[in-house]
């Protein structure tokens, strides 16, 4: 599957990492100098359901690790004195910025990378190394900046400075614990119980994008969950019932809450 991904190289120095990010990267890959950036298209069509489009196939963390681990092993075999670390999502690397600097796309107003063919329906994975690799840094280019994602956002989370993650409905659906009455109203009205696709569906750069050819994102799709699907499940039982799904990392509680709110008066 690796040969079906798009990739580029970004120098670590171009990312300007400081503070906690820089310290964490130093622990994961001491002396990190280069980042290989890979894109994994995942769009499988706009099917009805209450789960975000990105969470309906196999967990992308596992897909990226499975695809990039052999590449990292091959690099280690050729250069055993160097470190090669696979990272996906939970990473000190600002992935969208790294991908843009590597020439793989532009950063949209909604904060996501937009590829010229696959739009923003791409996952990003990286291999970080302490070895220098040739890289041509591409200055980040703007998206169309048409404002359609900003206008469509039901929580007004997209503004001139960027995305306010504290207001983003995708983050809210995944947040554990109690919610305010205002947040409960937002969750009740929101069509999804996990994630939010509104800004991506509104983006004109996502029109007519091809379907992913990766079976992990095209087969065995789960579009929706019901209260019956979650009834009586402990966190462990939930993960066992839905293995390798991106919506399981918080356990069943946020999903139960979101479903209950939709069925409340």
């Amino acid at each position: 599957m690796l040969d079906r991904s798009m990739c580029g190289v970004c120098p670590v120095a171009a990312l300007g990492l400081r503070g906690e990010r820089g310290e964490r990267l130093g622990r994961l890959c001491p002396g990190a100098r280069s980042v290989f950036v890979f894109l994994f298209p995942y769009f499988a069509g706009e099917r009805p359901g209450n789960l975000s489009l990105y969470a309906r196939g196999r967990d992308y963390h596992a897909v990226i690790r499975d695809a990039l681990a052999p590449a990292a092993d091959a690099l280690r075999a050729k250069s055993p004195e160097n470190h090669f670390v696979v990272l996906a999502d939970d990473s000190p690397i600002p992935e969208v910025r790294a991908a843009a600097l590597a020439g793989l796309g532009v950063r949209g107003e909604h904060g996501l990378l937009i590829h010229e063919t696959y739009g923003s329906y791409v996952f990003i994975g990286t291999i970080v190394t302490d070895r220098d690799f040739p890289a041509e840094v591409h200055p980040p280019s703007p998206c169309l900046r048409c404002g359609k994602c900003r206008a469509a956002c039901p929580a007004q989370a997209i503004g001139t400075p960027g995305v306010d993650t504290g207001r983003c409905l995708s983050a809210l659906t995944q947040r554990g614990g109690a919610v305010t009455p205002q947040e409960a109203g937002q969750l009740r009205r929101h069509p999804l119980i996990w994630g939010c696709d509104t800004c991506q569906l509104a983006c004109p750069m996502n029109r007519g994008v091809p379907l992913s050819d990766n079976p992990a994102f095209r087969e065995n799709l789960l579009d929706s969950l019901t209260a019956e699907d979650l009834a009586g499940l402990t966190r462990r039982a939930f993960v066992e019932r839905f293995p390798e799904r991106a919506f399981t990392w918080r356990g069943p509680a946020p999903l139960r809450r979101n479903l209950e709110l939709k069925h409340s008066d």
Side-chain angles (χ1 to χ4, degrees), residues 58-127:
R58 186 177 175 223
D59 186 352
Y60 64 95
H61 301 88
V63 175
I64 291 173
R65 285 194 299 268
D66 287 353
L68 297 188
D73 289 342
L75 288 166
R76 290 189 198 98
K78 292 182 178 179
S79 185
E81 69 278 10
N82 294 110
H83 294 91
F84 295 92
V85 181
V86 175
L87 298 172
D89 196 23
D90 183 18
S91 166
I93 298 294
E95 295 171 329
V96 172
R97 177 167 173 76
L101 290 173
L104 301 182
V106 301
R107 182 187 181 95
E109 286 186 279
H110 47 31
L112 303 173
L113 185 81
I114 303 175
H115 182 263
E116 63 178 355
T117 300
Y118 293 99
S120 59
Y121 297 114
V122 292
F123 297 124
I124 304 174
T126 60
I127 298 177

Side-chain angles (χ1 to χ4, degrees), residues 103-203:
L104 301 182
V106 301
R107 182 187 181 95
E109 286 186 279
H110 47 31
L112 303 173
L113 185 81
I114 303 175
H115 182 263
E116 63 178 355
T117 300
Y118 293 99
S120 59
Y121 297 114
V122 292
F123 297 124
I124 304 174
T126 60
I127 298 177
V128 184
T129 177
D130 55 356
R131 179 179 166 184
D132 274 317
F133 280 88
E136 180 181 342
V137 176
H138 298 254
S141 303
C143 69
L144 294 177
R145 302 197 68 82
C146 63
K148 290 187 177 180
C149 64
R150 187 170 63 249
C153 179
Q156 290 80 53
I158 304 173
T160 303
V163 178
D164 183 349
T165 55
R167 302 177 68 177
C168 176
L169 276 184
S170 181
L172 177 58
T173 63
Q174 300 175 48
R175 200 173 75 207
V179 296
T180 67
Q182 179 183 2
E183 290 170 338
Q186 290 178 318
L187 290 170
R188 189 179 292 113
R189 293 186 296 271
H190 187 45
L192 305 183
I193 62 169
W194 184 267
C196 183
D197 297 321
T198 304
C199 62
Q200 297 197 85
L201 294 174
C203 178

